[in-house]
Amino acid sequence: MLTTLDLSAIFLTLKLAALTTVILLILSPPLAWWLSRSKRFYRPFVEALVALPLVLPPTVLGFYLLLSFSPDSFLGSFWLSLTGGSLAFSFSGLLIASIIYSLPFVVQPLQSAFVNLDKDYLEVAATLGFNSAETFYRVVFPMVLPSFIIAGALGFAHTIGEFGVVLMIGGNIPGETQVLSIALFDHVETLQYEQAHLLSFTLLAFSMTLLMLIYGVLQKRQKRLNHD
Amino acid sequence: MIKFDLIKQQTKTEQALFHFQGELHLKGICAVFGDSGAGKTSFIRALAGLDNSFSGFLDFKDKTWLSDTVFIKTAQRKIGMVFQEPRLFPHLDALANLQLAGKKAKNSLYNVKQLAEQLDFTDLLSKKSHQLSGGQKQRIAIARAILTAPDLLIMDEPLSSLDQHSRQLLLPFIKKLSREIPIIYITHSMQEVFYLCQQMVLINQGTVEAIGSPQALFLDPDLSLVKHAHSGLLLNVDSLTWDQQFSLVHGLVDGQAVVLARDKKHNEQSLEIKVESKDVIIATERLASSSLQNCLTVKIDEIKSLSVNSVLLTLSTGRQKLLAKITLKSLNELNLQKNQSVFAYIKALSILGDSL
């Protein structure tokens, strides 16, 4: 059976994933919109920066984050003076890391949805008298809604599965930074295979369901909206 | 009144790609006519502000939409736009599409229900775009443009790909609508120009070649329109009387009698007929016996060479004009001269509005 520690790890993981997803769904749309429309020469640089976590070993990212979280660094000392606590080995640090790490998983589906969005509909919106904000929430958002859900789901699932970065900057503090994947690692190290099975299978079933939903339902729906 | 001098240059060579200059009365329907690729759509996109790469100026009534320092965005121009394709939002049903158009509009001339009745889509309001035919979508798109309560309605070949039912419904409707809202109307169809429009802008090779009444422009042999001349001109026929026995309409063209075949009695006082220039036969004497019913006494106003072997005659019945295309050989054999009086026999004609 699941122990209290396991349950607390699951709860912490869900909390981290939910917060990360919400923040990313606020930050990503403007960034994705800019990436899909901008013709500036430095757009590829920004695009590469966003995509870095896809190709970089998580430990590399974790290492640099750990350095920048240290009280000697700018970010770390700023945080210390603001909150009186350290970013490294804290939930807040974990949240910041997760946002960076999961950013491409949220930005990329949105960006491709914005690229595929037919400019013709934006012209219609202009002739209906809509300004940019109205065009966004009355036309763009409803037309790319499936992609928003895909983006959120991918960001959520990816945050849940995160391991390397967490290990580097979060450590293994129960209730604060001990997430599901770390708890699982613990069980394996201490040869508690039954517990490890339980956690692994839960994670596997959850991820599989989510991905099937994305590929089976949401992507089809978005395609239908695009190619009508 | 809408006044414009709109220039779009190629960035590298600074050569003008488009240069539209002129002014239009905002009354009734103004046709924008020209060949494919001449720049008709670019012209209306510049008017609507959808293409912001134009420089110059654009004044709409007493407002400046474009100058060196001003660019009013499309959303603020209060233009209703009907694109060539309907562009209904795919995530909404027809009714929601129409309601969206009313969000920013005050005092629209019609409400959704009235438009749905007049344009015959009451049963389609709950359907989504992909469940509708092209004609159905376009009728809803036109209603959507009207519901924005525009100061100007711009239509880009709205009927070009439509079924007969939609065309017959829309043409009279658009004509009626133009009494309330000025309309700028791109078309390829001469029939539509003559049926709908009092004013016409002729676009040729990225510039405004001429602005005037359709009749005057189609008669002007100096314009690029002359290649359309073979498709003929319109004549107004008045003092109509119905002949029950032969199912015919008797009428007068500048006082000269003509007869027109018509399937059933209509109650109009006058109508317009289209006579193609290849269907006009010139004779210097009256033909003794023939099946030709309609003969007008006309004066030759102008003789213009069309090709190596054909000429175009501009004929005057008094107030009205028609065109005849004949061979150079006939011209010489009949020894036709300018200002000579001849007989013009009309082999075939169509009544405008019947064939649209």
Side-chain angles (χ1 to χ4, degrees):
Chain A
M1 270 310 292
L2 291 171
T3 63
T4 4
L5 265 183
D6 287 340
L7 283 174
S8 125
I10 290 175
F11 174 74
L12 184 74
T13 310
L14 290 176
K15 182 176 142 195
L16 178 69
L19 273 173
T20 305
T21 308
V22 168
I23 293 170
L24 279 177
L25 281 179
I26 295 166
L27 295 181
S28 303
L31 180 58
W33 186 261
W34 183 83
L35 285 173
S36 69
R37 303 277 140 157
S38 173
K39 293 184 178 75
R40 308 252 171 194
F41 70 95
Y42 52 84
R43 187 192 54 80
F45 175 76
V46 178
E47 205 169 1
L49 211 59
V50 172
L52 260 188
L54 290 175
V55 293
L56 219 53
T59 40
V60 174
L61 194 70
F63 175 63
Y64 283 118
L65 282 171
L66 189 63
L67 289 185
S68 62
F69 285 177
S70 94
D72 308 331
S73 77
F74 169 74
L75 183 65
S77 63
F78 175 72
W79 190 263
L80 194 66
S81 66
L82 206 69
T83 64
S86 159
L87 260 182
F89 309 107
S90 73
F91 181 77
S92 308
L94 215 53
L95 185 59
I96 293 175
S98 297
I99 289 166
I100 294 169
Y101 192 56
S102 295
L103 186 65
F105 292 85
V106 180
V107 169
Q108 287 189 346
L110 290 179
Q111 189 183 338
S112 91
F114 291 152
V115 168
N116 287 324
L117 183 73
D118 203 332
K119 215 173 101 258
D120 289 357
Y121 295 116
L122 304 181
E123 290 185 355
V124 173
T127 66
L128 299 185
F130 295 166
N131 61 31
S132 322
E134 286 164 326
T135 302
F136 188 80
Y137 77 80
R138 289 197 202 281
V139 176
V140 177
F141 181 69
M143 282 188 73
V144 299
L145 185 60
S147 292
F148 261 86
I149 301 173
I150 291 173
L154 281 177
F156 189 82
H158 189 254
T159 312
I160 284 187
E162 176 180 328
F163 178 76
V165 177
V166 184
L167 197 67
M168 292 291 278
I169 62 151
N172 194 358
I173 307 164
E176 178 75 18
T177 63
Q178 192 190 57
V179 294
L180 203 54
S181 55
I182 306 277
L184 173 63
F185 184 70
D186 254 13
H187 288 315
V188 176
E189 274 209 310
T190 52
L191 300 175
Q192 294 169 297
Y193 274 33
E194 199 189 327
Q195 300 287 84
H197 268 307
L198 205 57
L199 286 184
S200 299
F201 186 75
T202 313
L203 211 55
L204 181 73
F206 168 77
S207 303
M208 192 65 195
T209 315
L210 201 62
L211 289 177
M212 272 169 54
L213 181 74
I214 290 174
Y215 295 127
V217 183
L218 293 164
Q219 284 197 341
K220 252 186 220 140
R221 189 164 295 183
Q222 181 68 69
K223 265 195 198 118
R224 221 179 43 225
L225 281 177
N226 284 346
H227 303 286
D228 184 48
Chain B
M1 189 77 100
I2 181 164
K3 285 188 196 172
F4 51 90
D5 185 358
L6 296 160
I7 303 154
K8 181 170 179 169
Q9 292 178 327
Q10 226 158 12
T11 32
K12 279 179 189 153
T13 58
E14 292 199 2
Q15 201 185 358
L17 287 171
F18 298 108
H19 188 177
F20 305 115
Q21 192 178 15
E23 52 185 73
L24 301 174
H25 296 287
L26 290 167
K27 198 162 178 288
I29 305 181
C30 173
V32 178
F33 196 86
D35 292 337
S36 300
K40 301 189 293 295
T41 298
S42 300
F43 174 57
I44 57 129
R45 289 179 65 81
L47 292 185
L50 292 171
D51 186 343
N52 60 9
S53 56
F54 278 86
S55 59
F57 75 84
L58 173 58
D59 290 342
F60 179 81
K61 294 182 183 166
D62 51 354
K63 285 168 276 187
T64 298
W65 279 352
L66 176 74
S67 72
D68 291 341
T69 51
V70 179
F71 180 80
I72 304 293
K73 284 186 183 169
T74 305
Q76 269 94 53
R77 293 191 186 190
K78 292 198 72 180
I79 287 178
M81 190 94 178
V82 178
F83 298 92
Q84 235 169 320
E85 337 74 59
R87 300 193 187 181
L88 296 183
F89 293 121
H91 60 289
L92 300 172
D93 62 20
L95 181 63
N97 262 289
L98 295 170
Q99 284 167 339
L100 203 57
K103 287 268 190 274
K104 304 284 280 185
K106 291 188 196 87
N107 312 322
S108 174
L109 281 170
Y110 302 88
N111 60 35
V112 173
K113 195 163 158 277
Q114 292 165 325
L115 287 169
E117 274 164 21
Q118 296 205 29
L119 296 178
D120 193 21
F121 58 74
T122 310
D123 301 338
L124 309 173
L125 284 171
S126 61
K127 294 224 163 46
K128 287 206 170 182
S129 176
H130 64 93
Q131 298 166 304
L132 299 167
S133 77
Q136 292 169 336
K137 281 191 239 185
Q138 195 64 306
R139 278 183 268 149
I140 293 163
I142 289 172
R144 176 172 69 175
I146 295 167
L147 286 168
T148 62
D151 290 341
L152 172 68
L153 193 58
I154 298 181
M155 304 176 115
D156 188 354
E157 294 192 51
L159 308 185
S160 61
S161 57
L162 296 196
D163 54 281
Q164 197 66 14
H165 171 67
S166 295
R167 291 168 67 85
Q168 278 173 352
L169 209 62
L170 284 169
L171 272 165
F173 177 80
I174 291 171
K175 194 164 183 172
K176 192 178 81 174
L177 181 70
S178 69
R179 288 185 217 132
E180 325 272 357
I181 307 171
I183 300 177
I184 291 180
Y185 189 98
I186 293 190
T187 179
H188 264 122
S189 151
M190 242 179 95
Q191 310 261 33
E192 283 178 20
V193 172
F194 282 118
Y195 178 75
L196 292 173
C197 308
Q198 301 78 42
Q199 200 184 177
M200 179 167 128
V201 183
L202 176 63
I203 306 276
N204 187 32
Q205 295 180 339
T207 60
V208 172
E209 191 181 359
I211 296 175
S213 80
Q215 282 284 8
L217 295 196
F218 274 98
L219 268 174
D220 190 335
D222 294 332
L223 296 176
S224 62
L225 275 177
V226 74
K227 61 179 170 289
H228 293 278
H230 60 85
S231 39
L233 282 176
L234 294 197
L235 291 174
N236 187 277
V237 186
D238 52 22
S239 314
L240 301 179
T241 53
W242 172 246
D243 181 340
Q244 184 71 45
Q245 192 188 351
F246 294 107
S247 215
L248 292 172
V249 176
H250 294 273
L252 297 175
V253 173
D254 283 350
Q256 303 191 54
V258 290
V259 290
L260 318 168
R262 202 137 211 224
D263 292 343
K264 57 180 198 291
K265 188 172 193 263
H266 289 249
N267 282 324
E268 73 270 90
Q269 295 296 308
S270 70
L271 48 75
E272 306 215 287
I273 54 170
K274 181 158 178 259
V275 181
E276 300 202 8
S277 53
K278 64 177 168 52
D279 293 329
V280 178
I281 295 163
I282 302 295
T284 47
E285 289 165 39
R286 272 196 188 276
L287 301 180
S289 53
S290 81
S291 69
L292 293 166
Q293 289 285 334
N294 289 316
C295 172
L296 299 170
T297 312
V298 296
K299 195 175 85 181
I300 299 176
D301 264 9
E302 201 161 331
I303 301 171
K304 187 180 158 61
S305 161
L306 274 185
S307 65
V308 284
N309 54 19
S310 66
V311 292
L312 189 71
L313 307 181
T314 308
L315 309 168
S316 162
T317 61
R319 284 181 297 114
Q320 305 193 64
K321 299 198 189 238
L322 73 161
L323 298 170
K325 185 181 170 189
I326 60 170
T327 60
L328 189 59
K329 187 157 175 278
S330 311
L331 182 80
N332 291 337
E333 281 178 6
L334 292 173
N335 192 23
L336 299 176
Q337 305 292 335
K338 211 172 153 178
N339 293 327
Q340 185 181 347
S341 269
V342 291
F343 300 101
Y345 284 88
I346 298 167
K347 202 164 64 179
L349 53 82
S350 53
I351 296 169
L352 201 71
D354 282 6
S355 60
L356 281 167

